[in-house]
Amino acid sequence: MIKRLLAALSPVVRPELTGNAESPEVDNTAYSPDSRVDLITGANDNTTITDKVCSIVEQKPTIGWWGFFLLAFSVLGLLGIFVPFLIFWGVGTWGVNNPVGWGYAIVNFVFWVGIGHAGTLISAILFLFRQKWRTSINRAAEAMTIFAVICAGMFPGIHVGRAWFAYWMFPLPNQMELWPNFRSPLIWDVFAVGTYFTVSLLFWYMGMIPDLATLRDRAKHSVRKIAYGALSLGWTGSNRQWHVYERSYLLLAALATPLVLSVHSVVSFDFAVSQVPGWHTTIFPPYFVAGAIFSGFAMVLTLLVPARQLFGLKDVITLKHLENMNKIIMLTGLLVGYAYSQEFFMAWYGGVKVEKFAFINRAFGQYAWAYWIMVSCNVLAPQIFWFKKMRTNIWVMFAVSIFVNIGMWFERFVITVTSLANDYTSSAWDYYSPKLADVMIMLGAFGLFFTLFALFCRFLPFIAMSEVRGVLADQAHSRAAASARHSSEAAADSASGS
Amino acid sequence: MSAEMNSSVEVVTITAETATDVKPVLMLAEFETADLLMEAATRIRDEGFKLWDCHTPYPVHGLDSAMGIRPTLLPWIVLCGGFTGFCGGLLMQGWMNAVDYPFLISGKPFFSIPASIPVAFELTILLSAFGSFGGMLALNGFPRFYRPHFRSDRFRRATADRFFISIEGRDRQFDIGANSKLLRELGANAVEVIEE
Amino acid sequence: MSSIKETQKNSSQGKALWRSLDEFADTDEFRALVEKEFPNHAPELFHSTSRRHFLKVMGASVALAGGLAGCRWPQQQILPHTSRPEGRDPGAPVSYASCWEQQEVAEGVLVTSYDGRPIRVDGNGDHPSHRGSTTAQMQASVLGMYDPGRSSQPSHVTADGHASAEWLGAISALRKAGRSGKVAVLAAPSSSMALSAMRNRLLREVADSSWHEWAPLHRDSERLGTAQLFGRPMRPVADLSAAQVLVCLDADPLMNHPASLQHSSDWAALRTSADDDEPILSRVWSVESTLSVTGGVADVRIPARTADIPRIAAQLAAATGVQLPADVAAAVASAPPSTDDRIEQMAADLKSHQGSCLLMAGDRQPAEVHALVHAMNVALGAVGKTLSYAEVAHGERPAHIDDLQRLADRIGQGEVETLLLIGVNPVYDAPAIGKSWKDLIGQVPLSMHLGLYDDETAGVCQWHLNQTHFLEEWGDGRSWDGTVTLRQPLIAPLYSGRSALEVISAVVDDEAKSGHDIVRGVLQPLAPKDFESSWKKWLHDGFVAGTANTVASAPDVTGGWGPALESAMQTVSGKEIVFLPDHSLFDGRYANNGWLQELPDPITKVAWDNCALISPVLGSELGVKNGDLIDLSVAGANLSMPAFLLPGQNRDSIGVALGYGRLISDRAAGRLSRKPSLYQIADGVGFDTYTLRDADAVRAGYASVSVSRGEGNYPLATTQDHNPVRPEDFMGDLEFNEEQRKIGEFVRVVDTGFNPDASEVKAQVEEAGPHHPDLESPWTEHKYRGQRWAMSIDLNVCTGCSSCVVACQSENNIAVVGKDELAYGREMHWIRIDRYFRGDDVENPEVVHQPLTCNQCENAPCEQVCPVAATVHNEEGLNDMVYNRCIGTRYCSNNCPYKVRRFNYFNNTKNPSATEQMGYNPDVTVRARGVMEKCTYCVQRINRSKIKAHNEKRDLVDGDVMPACAQSCPTHAITFGDLADPKSQVSLTQKSHRAYKMLAELNVKPRTSFLAKLRNPAPREEG
Amino acid sequence: MSRTPIFPPWVDSLVKLLGAGAGVTGLYLVLMVNFGASPKTLNAGYMPEQPVPYSHALHVGELGLDCRYCHTTVERTGFAAVPPTETCMNCHEKIAPNSVKLRPVRDSFRSGMPVPWIKVHDLPDHVYFNHSAHVTRGVSCVECHGRVDQMVEVEQVSPLSMGWCLNCHRDPAAYLRPVDKVTDLDWGLERTHDEKALAGRELMKGLGLLDALDQPTVRMSLMTNCSTCHR
């Protein structure tokens, strides 16, 4: 059983397990000036694409899926154990102390919010830039966004000392006639993350409506019929619907773009607006946004590389797609590295004692180990993508994506903990170290994330079919045009020849 | 339900079982490719049909102009949403922190624009998004779970790999014979009439 | 060791401030930390038992029903008096005068009581030998009374195991013993006239009875020394406010002295006088082996072995022109040249301040040293100026250790039928006399123990009788100057205990008298005219005016030098161990008091433990660092305890605090109600150092010890330097880090002479601060129209005694969290006294204390970040903390540059015993779990005074409001008041040329100012 | 070819109906929570049964006892102390000396055990209310306790919620009266709110809450500070 499970999870395609036809790896990353490379490889047309994507949902779940789901779900169980324990005993079950009032909870919060940035970025910004290659990955990326934000949203709720009063952060009328303090970055957070979740959800769902209609029209089982029927709201693919839909989608994309930038800026305000040396930095908003995109793309890779194998989607999510993402990872990695160096420059240039100390202490102090893990994972690891061979190698990119995930977690750890542990009053300095509850709840969040993702793969269209069809159409056109050009040239040659 | 042959051109008629005194409500014509559909649509538009539509598995470029659809007013709805969000956000913060229960916080003013921007901004986005999504639902009349189209089995493929033109029975120029003939000429590989 | 030299070299120019040795010397601590990923905390899920222990022990939980609008909370009842006593208003605090006794000296106290529940102990300002301040122990005594770990009933252990016991049985047993005679009493020495009267009655009326006294920490040598010199014992009453030059030979007059409160405020007078128009700054010399509180504030400190101090004293005597017997003089002359070239300097200082100087000797020093010291005082004309003498009550009694010998002999010869132990614990704290006291007591046919706790001694006695706490009993005592001070009960005995007076009365009287009658009877003669009226007045004042028994004229020196003088000078070389009174637990009697256990030591900042204080040099010789176990062996007795590398410790001397490693059981409760005895918090805390202290050590004040590195490590909980960062490891020399850490800006110290120049001081204080542009806010800041509460703390007179910490704890219902949580950095004290070392010499650094509490910043950074506005400013500039609004994001604490906010990580106030709830201050909310808290400038006191004033249709005047810390401070280092009133004391102090604000460059506008420390070091010629 | 649609036509009308229903329910719930859960509804009107059926209506209303005859400490301390048993016995040794209702009082007086009155006005422990601070400033008993002189059994009339307290702390004008009238529960009740407010402003000047120009003083602004009630 275990062996089969591993086999199923292994990237080697096992049609009888994946239930998908063999889809060969095609290198479509070569750049040829005259003809545009195909984003969708293989002999694919509307029919095959539709069958491919729908079959993931319509066929029995593979053992691979079951293995993944059960594993994730059992890890999610940790939350069920440790969160009630935390609420019952108090925040002291965590490692936080004076002066380090924020520990893993906030680290995880920022980490997950960061992860949650790639999806909307891919859907919205790449959409506005008319990047066709987004269409194969945006659905999965958006789903990931939603789930990551769910994980993130959990932490502020449980990290407060009296979770049962957390609702006081919302401006609700009450007998105390008290309102929240809108000068506090935490309130900005509530609004930013709340808005981000809502908008991402709308965006995701709206994008799915046509594909849900496809599933509806292919559904055999009555439960599926009703479910997908209800979800697709009665979509008929009428062009008048498409017209309004397209415009609405465009507007949402236009709205989501500034939103996505604002959210992590606001999250960075939690630190930047305070006066803790190491937090009180104007570079934080862009720095955080870059980091968020960085980690987000890494997580998308981590999810898609195995997924395209398991579901036999190599010809839809092609090397080209992966390579593009790797390029972005490399770019944002450099941005993040630049931010790291800038912090030191500003500390030196600003000449504020405690500021200087904060950063020197970060790199060489008691948390140096964390700092260097961060640097090596975030700045060094992605550099390997300078080489095309590496950029297009499945195993390398998967490894790098894991490194980046780790590195970005540590970035948040370094920022949050080292700054607090040694701030102004040296007599109050202390060392923060996590307790079991910290670690378990962190793992539990990952469980939650992967469980949700597994369910998504199982029940919702993994690829934005309707959009891919559009891409196919364009490909067909350009291919036709190209062949026409060739034939006319050939004719001209023969004419001149005679 | 009955499927009988029309004399001139082959038309499949689909009728609801329950319905008494049935009359045609919809004519569906299936096309193989988007290009055929495009030409057909242009022609149908020129013929002066009003209550008709095209059904495609993905948004086909140029079809809007081919069909002569006028721009939607959705953007205005979104604008209203955004405006409400921004003003509402500023007013809420000002009233709560400076008017209803002013706190003396860090010696800062009770209300100041910079501190209020983040929340106001987020609310702008939020309400615009609601406007956009809600507007889309409203303008498309969603949710609407029953449509006559769903009586046609062929029409399943409208969301997969086929292209359809539908003409409503209420259209002034609706005429089973003439229309089906026209559509055939335009390259429809099948024409169906839905009655109920 | 090498690295110490090196750092000295590096930071030779200018004086560097540092927090702990871990930063200073190059231990491996830091590198270990860097390498280890998560040091010293194996991830643990369940917080330690001892903490939960504490949840049970400390505090009452109050449901903060803030959010639960609507739900009807549990029904409460109102139980009014059936007839209300005269002038008793429910819910209004009333204060009564009483007295507290330690080391046979009474301190007048003022006890505040709510509805008959005493909740605070303050100093009695009217008392002649007192300045209204309090020590930590005095204030903690309230908790001591409510301590559920106290023994709650008599218990009688018969041959056939345990049996219940009632007071009736005990009384008859006592009377029976009294009738049959051969009663020996071993009692704690007391200044009580009533007790000595009862003692005389017992000796008179009970056949073959004897009375013995024992206290592990006593002042025998002072008594005997003065007796040697003057022919009869005397008690030196010092007036430090006149002593411009003060020399302390192993003495700690500011902390471990019965008159420490008086000394402290007098000493402070000669430090604050540096701000006067003709500024005068005293100079304090301290010669001692272990850094004491006085040594910490000394201007010149000479770390010498305790064993060497007699010789130093003799050398000093010779240098100051005291006529010494020939042999001694010869010995001095022949003695090796003094360890420190500063003896001559000291002598010179003394001679140049004839009549305005004073020498004091510590009670560890032999009688001969005291004789020398007083001879010098006479020679230098101190007597009558800085020093007067008082009679000692029955001073003819033998030294305590000899008294023990007498008792042991009597027991040995079978002359004791009944042994009555009153308030003593020899099994724990007395050295074996031939046999251990367990065996000696076992020899006695009938042994009865009267004490607050069912302790070690009670465990070996047949009878244990539960004694009354001093707040529960009638009594009297004499203060240091002899003033008769009254003790009245604030509450009926919680556990129906009886006082020592009543128990002795039960022995000698057929009808046991009440303490009230006994005391009245004894004091009757003191009344000038009709007794009742004066008795009323005495009770009200708390003392009998004009009863100080000062010696009128300066006593004449009979010149009787102790024969031991010369031998005292022949000191053995090698390592010595010195037994110190613990700064919190004293001799161990307060071991079960949570407040005192959790109170960090003023010097080491270690709480919940005692450790072996060794010199850093010895440390590196042995290769140990803080917490490593070392093996001590004294005359066959061995003890392994954690080392603490204390800068300033003499390298051949090891200091160990007494009073830990207690074993308090709860037999009675355990037997009778099967209650798990979880209230004996003292059990197993620290190390019992009495096991090393044999009779000779008690006599000599020290013992020679052999020390070696032990096995393993023992975690110590400190409130400072939890995990030292040592940037110098990668950032070069100490000064650089100094600059990084800004310590030099936090605590500003100026070295001056006897007459500091104000402008010079001002310049230096400003120079120490950071240079930053003028601070402006981008918005127009709030104008405060009303009172502007503010505080200023004078570092110049802060001795670090930590009285304010306990004052705050008792006033504000601050929870005790226990050792483990403390080690985790979750202490709850609202006041943190930061201790910094200053100077390059690890073996003899200077000490600076900085009490740090909420600065009530006008632009408070904590407020802006709170999402629910649980901490906001009020119109008087107070940074209000609203517990019931707090949801516990801890953001405020993160954003506080002073890190003075405290968070309830667990429910620290859960399942309190009924008695503990009685001890809470009803004016302050008891905080629940998940809530932030911090210093409020005692806003409850501000409000009470304001309401009172407005009820009386008047405005507040300066001094109406006094926070607990300021009220308790023995040196009055803390002044509090209204800045809007230009004449208020705080306005003046904040305008002082020494005043500065901490981290002012952040533009947080703190309301608390600090006054720079002035030091008056003896100029040292380089060489 | 034909197929049967997933949803028959009537589903759409049903959906519209459900949508409308959901909207109405939501509104209803909001209103329920708003009014149902407010302290006004939950706390006001609390009237526990007391061990002794002491009637304020009789003693205060008819016999005209002054509040302070029993609640002696109200002007001095934070608590308006419930009187000791002997206060009752002052009269009841003579009057109705063996009434059954009064047995608990007599028992208490004999045994010295207190009469276990049930607390009616019970503030949360984190709220520090001081009677003397209000009574000596001219806030009448009636403002919070209502017409106790008409109550046979004491009942909580006000919500005693934070919002309710703030209502007066923000603008006490209409709730003030001359200090000597504080215990006349029926004094000046006939006046309209505006009349009260008008008179109140003068009193506020006397109390130093308003300055000569009717501008609120510091003392006024202090009344809404957190530490005024929470410590």
Side-chain angles (χ1 to χ4, degrees), chain D residues 58-201:
Chain D
L58 172 66
H59 293 78
V60 184
E62 295 179 26
L63 305 178
L65 284 184
D66 186 283
C67 308
R68 288 162 296 190
Y69 177 77
C70 298
H71 305 290
T72 49
T73 66
V74 71
E75 285 168 317
R76 292 198 304 276
T77 72
F79 295 87
V82 168
T85 319
E86 71 183 346
T87 311
C88 312
M89 295 308 281
N90 288 348
C91 306
H92 282 290
E93 257 165 337
K94 313 273 176 302
I95 303 160
N98 36 25
S99 133
V100 186
K101 292 181 184 169
L102 284 169
R103 178 173 292 123
V105 179
R106 291 195 298 272
D107 295 350
S108 151
F109 196 56
R110 226 176 287 109
S111 67
M113 294 306 290
V115 182
W117 301 100
I118 310 287
K119 199 163 190 193
V120 179
H121 301 87
D122 188 4
L123 292 173
D125 294 356
H126 55 261
V127 180
Y128 288 85
F129 176 85
N130 187 309
H131 275 89
S132 69
H134 291 77
V135 172
T136 56
R137 314 280 195 285
V139 180
S140 166
C141 318
V142 75
E143 303 298 347
C144 309
H145 296 290
R147 292 302 301 275
V148 178
D149 58 339
Q150 296 173 349
M151 294 182 189
V152 177
E153 272 194 86
V154 178
E155 168 190 5
Q156 177 176 342
V157 292
S158 350
L160 298 184
S161 70
M162 178 168 166
W164 176 83
C165 295
L166 280 169
N167 179 39
C168 177
H169 271 235
R170 283 170 174 158
D171 179 15
Y175 311 94
L176 292 174
R177 59 174 67 183
V179 177
D180 56 341
K181 298 284 186 296
V182 159
T183 55
D184 307 358
L185 300 191
D186 52 359
W187 182 84
L189 293 179
E190 68 291 347
R191 300 172 305 164
T192 68
H193 185 278
D194 297 354
E195 290 168 356
K196 290 180 184 165
L198 203 63
R201 300 193 75 77

Side-chain angles (χ1 to χ4, degrees), chain A residues 82 85-102 104 159-169 174-176 178-181 183-187 269-271 273-276 279 353-354 356-357 360-361 364-366 368-369 373 413 420 422-437, chain C residues 19 30 33-34 36-39 41 43-47 51-52 55 64 66-67 69 719-723 725 727 730-731 739-743 745-746 824-827 832 834 836 852 861 863-869 883-891 894-899 901-903 905-906 910 929-931 998-999 1002 1004:
Chain A
F82 284 88
F85 186 83
L86 170 83
I87 304 288
F88 181 77
W89 272 113
V91 180
T93 50
W94 284 342
V96 281
N97 59 7
N98 311 332
V100 186
W102 284 358
Y104 271 27
H159 112 285
V160 299
R162 300 201 292 169
W164 49 96
F165 287 144
Y167 71 91
W168 283 351
M169 289 208 260
N174 56 72
Q175 60 91 17
M176 298 172 283
L178 278 169
W179 302 111
N181 167 24
R183 303 168 188 77
S184 166
L186 290 185
I187 292 296
F269 289 164
D270 289 353
F271 304 98
V273 167
S274 84
Q275 61 178 5
V276 179
W279 283 10
K353 285 181 194 174
V354 287
K356 264 194 271 176
F357 176 74
I360 291 160
N361 183 49
F364 305 103
Q366 52 188 351
W369 56 271
I373 291 177
F413 178 85
L420 287 175
N422 312 102
D423 75 338
Y424 292 97
T425 16
S426 44
S427 56
W429 290 353
D430 200 349
Y431 192 91
Y432 163 85
S433 48
K435 290 189 184 176
L436 185 61
Chain C
R19 293 180 301 148
F30 172 70
L33 281 174
V34 175
K36 250 191 294 167
E37 296 203 352
F38 295 116
H41 293 301
E44 40 140 341
L45 179 50
F46 292 88
H47 34 279
R51 192 198 66 77
R52 270 194 265 120
L55 296 189
L64 297 188
T719 56
Q720 213 180 331
D721 333 317
H722 290 280
N723 285 285
V725 190
F730 50 85
M731 287 306 305
E739 192 192 304
Q740 300 292 354
R741 296 214 198 89
K742 302 164 73 67
I743 296 175
E745 297 170 18
F746 297 163
Y824 218 96
R826 293 171 178 175
E827 66 268 24
R832 183 178 82 230
D834 290 342
Y836 298 107
L852 196 55
E863 292 169 352
Q864 171 204 345
V865 297
C866 176
V868 293
Y883 311 120
N884 43 303
R885 176 67 174 171
C886 177
I887 63 174
T889 66
R890 306 188 291 292
Y891 200 172
N894 290 350
N895 210 29
C896 172
Y898 309 96
K899 288 286 173 285
R901 289 177 156 264
R902 298 286 175 260
F903 187 69
Y905 285 94
F906 289 108
K910 201 174 178 186
R929 181 242 297 179
V931 171
M998 189 173 167
L999 287 170
L1002 298 176
V1004 293

Side-chain angles (χ1 to χ4, degrees), chain A residues 317-330:
Chain A
I317 305 172
T318 65
L319 276 180
K320 180 77 186 163
H321 296 96
L322 302 178
E323 188 195 16
N324 287 351
M325 288 198 270
N326 292 341
K327 286 178 180 166
I328 294 186
I329 287 180
M330 191 170 74

